[in-house]
Amino acid sequence: MKQQVLSALTIRNLHTVKELEEVYKLESLVWSTEDAIPVNQTVAAVENGGFVLGAFYKEQLIGFQYSFPGFNGKNIYVVSHCLGIHPDYRASGIGERLKRKQKELALQMGFDYISWTYDPLETVNGNLNIHKLKAVCTDYKENVYGEMSDAMNSGIATDRFLVEWRIREEADEKIHSLEHPYCISTYLVDGFVRPSEITLNLNNEYLLVPVPGNFQALKGSDFPLAVKWRETTRQVFTHYLKRGWLVVDILKDSQTENQYVYVLKKAD
């Protein structure tokens, strides 16, 4: 099914009100009507340097990506605000296809990098953003969006990685390993990884920060543990990223069930 969808998938830049209304409907399905971006906002963005990409399978809109220009006082860049996939077509590689198209369009428009945020405890997103696309995390932001009511975010502080995808640079092709110090020790109970001792004074070429590989299931089974993971990783990531470290990869930890590790590297 995955290969069938990808082989027939088409991605195009959307412009009309009708097309953007379809995006609104899909976004409402993916998250909620309350969290979906109003059509008048996406229309205004598209008319002023932004763009919305639509992924179609047999003329059905099954994925989208919404971007607009950003400015931080020094650089103009693409803000990758949101990407959503129809629930029936997730894990089919559509998100990566949309991101590759986004890069292509951003380069044509003259941009040097694309920036976005994502929850570091969502390892599927981490695998796409950091491992496959080879973006890097440059900053950790606490409770960016405040309280959110959708199923994925409800009850948990909306902490996010700030990601930079440097689309004009050659990505680091170094193959990372698990042979580096861990900043958090963990142990496994009932299929869920639990954080234990934290180490904040490590000084190595690379450092590893473990995270659970099944965060939503963990959250549904043991909510206090989910909160503990948020608080523990916040402490570690904030400490190192403020001191010039970057998150450069994420790997599945073959040594511990249901665990992934982020790879940190001191910025050059």
Side-chain angles (χ1 to χ4, degrees):
M1 177 64 176
K2 175 180 177 179
Q3 192 56 45
Q4 178 183 349
V5 172
L6 287 180
S7 62
L9 193 73
T10 59
I11 297 176
R12 63 176 186 261
N13 199 359
L14 308 181
H15 299 279
T16 70
V17 172
K18 183 177 180 180
E19 290 172 327
L20 296 174
E21 286 174 343
E22 290 303 309
V23 171
Y24 177 81
K25 292 177 185 177
L26 178 55
E27 190 176 2
S28 298
L29 175 65
V30 172
W31 289 289
S32 67
T33 302
E34 291 79 10
D35 293 318
I37 301 167
V39 175
N40 60 4
Q41 170 62 34
T42 51
V43 168
V46 167
E47 291 292 327
N48 293 276
F51 55 89
V52 179
L53 298 174
F56 294 84
Y57 176 59
K58 296 182 178 179
E59 300 305 314
Q60 178 189 359
L61 180 69
I62 61 172
F64 73 95
Q65 195 289 312
Y66 169 45
S67 301
F68 53 83
F71 179 62
N72 60 8
K74 296 181 180 179
N75 303 305
I76 300 174
Y77 50 91
V78 173
V79 178
S80 183
H81 183 61
C82 60
L83 184 154
I85 308 297
H86 191 290
D88 293 344
Y89 296 94
R90 289 173 183 160
S92 297
I94 299 167
E96 184 175 358
R97 287 281 188 91
L98 281 164
K99 295 298 291 184
R100 300 288 182 191
K101 188 67 175 180
Q102 179 193 42
K103 174 183 177 179
E104 178 185 321
L105 187 54
L107 286 169
Q108 291 174 5
M109 297 172 72
F111 291 102
D112 294 327
Y113 72 92
I114 301 171
S115 179
W116 65 92
T117 61
Y118 82 93
D119 187 339
L121 296 178
E122 296 294 343
T123 53
V124 171
N125 293 343
N127 185 58
L128 171 60
N129 297 333
I130 306 295
H131 186 71
K132 291 184 177 180
L133 300 179
K134 302 188 184 305
V136 297
C137 169
T138 59
D139 196 9
Y140 187 94
K141 296 185 172 293
E142 297 184 23
N143 204 28
V144 178
Y145 303 111
E147 290 292 324
M148 297 183 70
S149 59
D150 64 287
M152 290 188 68
N153 295 289
S154 178
I156 297 286
T158 53
D159 291 16
R160 297 293 186 263
F161 272 172
L162 178 64
V163 168
E164 286 186 12
W165 191 14
R166 298 163 183 175
I167 56 178
R168 294 190 184 274
E169 298 180 10
E170 289 294 326
D172 178 14
E173 295 296 335
K174 181 178 177 62
I175 299 176
H176 301 110
S177 75
L178 301 176
E179 301 301 318
H180 303 293
Y182 281 65
C183 298
I184 304 171
S185 60
T186 63
Y187 61 100
L188 195 67
V189 178
D190 298 328
F192 296 118
V193 178
R194 297 174 180 268
S196 183
E197 184 178 349
I198 298 173
T199 306
L200 296 179
N201 297 309
L202 295 170
N203 188 18
N204 198 65
E205 182 181 7
Y206 294 96
L207 300 176
L208 303 178
V209 180
V211 293
N214 52 352
F215 184 66
Q216 288 301 321
L218 181 156
K219 180 182 171 184
S221 176
D222 189 339
F223 187 80
L225 177 58
V227 173
K228 184 173 179 62
W229 266 114
R230 175 66 84 214
E231 294 172 347
T232 301
T233 52
R234 173 192 290 169
Q235 184 178 353
V236 172
F237 286 128
T238 299
H239 175 86
Y240 284 104
L241 291 175
K242 282 185 176 180
R243 286 161 176 78
W245 293 75
L246 299 173
V247 181
V248 297
D249 205 354
I250 182 172
L251 305 170
K252 187 168 176 38
D253 193 338
S254 57
Q255 302 174 20
T256 303
E257 181 184 355
N258 291 329
Q259 179 167 287
Y260 280 73
V261 292
Y262 281 102
V263 181
L264 274 63
K265 179 184 178 182
K266 192 71 177 282
D268 297 330

